[in-house]
Amino acid sequence: RAFERALVEVGKVFAAKNGRAVDELKAVARALDALQMPDSGAPAVVLVGAPNVGKSSIVRRLSSGTPSVHNYPFTTRALVMGHFHLGVNPHQVLDTPGVLNRDSDARNAMERLTVASVRHLSGALLFVLDPTGACGTSVPDQLAIRDRLRREAGPESTWVDVVSKADLVASGGFEG
């Protein structure tokens, strides 16, 4: 009986909306899909590092994520998420805003978001290093950022160092 009453109510909604109810539901579903909320149940790969080191380019290559990629710092201003599957297991990849080599109390809101991701999201942390220095942050400063973020992550975290811009390194553009 309850099912029949529910069908009548659904019919009334469709009649009142002249058939647009499904379109409205689709629009709601698209809006919900667009929310950048990490799934605490799915493994995460969180990319961290200085601004303009190539984190967004890596996210584009590894996943369904479509962060903006430009050759200037602070293109990423919020978490940008993508997904990929290993076999049947879903994983998420998070692009984070760049972090500068400065004390915690001097960090801006974007940098604090990255630090919060390092502290609270479970999964692997990929520190992206640009050995060319073309990102605008020297290699020593990038390594200092790495050390600070690694301390923030804690000893139990899974940490992987990634070198980006290998094409520039191969052509002699290495700073180091």
Side-chain angles (χ1 to χ4, degrees):
R1 249 189 198 257
F3 181 73
E4 290 170 0
R5 285 194 303 266
L7 282 178
V8 170
E9 291 302 313
V10 168
K12 288 178 185 176
V13 169
F14 277 103
K17 297 283 186 174
N18 293 326
R20 292 188 310 268
V22 172
D23 292 335
E24 290 179 15
L25 285 172
K26 286 180 182 177
V28 168
R30 281 192 298 274
L32 289 172
D33 282 345
L35 291 176
Q36 298 288 314
M37 296 296 297
D39 176 0
S40 61
V45 177
V46 183
L47 280 79
V48 297
N52 204 33
V53 294
K55 298 181 298 291
S56 297
S57 294
I58 293 170
V59 167
R60 277 184 169 269
R61 289 283 193 182
L62 290 180
S63 74
S64 63
T66 57
S68 295
V69 175
H70 300 286
N71 192 21
Y72 54 84
F74 297 110
T75 302
T76 304
R77 298 178 176 274
L79 292 181
V80 178
M81 208 163 52
H83 297 87
F84 68 95
H85 285 78
L86 288 177
V88 297
N89 301 319
H91 291 68
Q92 54 197 344
V93 178
L94 285 97
D95 185 14
T96 62
V99 176
L100 297 174
N101 184 19
R102 55 185 173 186
D103 291 332
S104 298
D105 58 344
R107 289 184 177 138
N108 62 34
M110 292 183 298
E111 293 172 288
R112 288 192 303 270
L113 178 62
T114 297
V115 172
S117 299
V118 166
R119 287 182 183 160
H120 301 293
L121 293 175
S122 63
L125 296 162
L126 270 65
F127 179 80
V128 182
L129 177 99
D130 173 5
T132 69
C135 63
T137 304
S138 69
V139 171
D141 277 351
Q142 290 180 68
L143 293 173
I145 292 166
R146 177 195 179 278
D147 292 344
R148 287 176 189 235
L149 291 175
R150 189 137 194 204
R151 280 193 303 275
E152 295 280 358
E156 299 299 316
S157 66
T158 301
W159 188 276
V160 178
D161 291 320
V162 176
V163 175
S164 66
K165 304 184 183 178
D167 53 335
L168 296 176
V169 173
S171 67
F174 186 78
E175 180 184 291

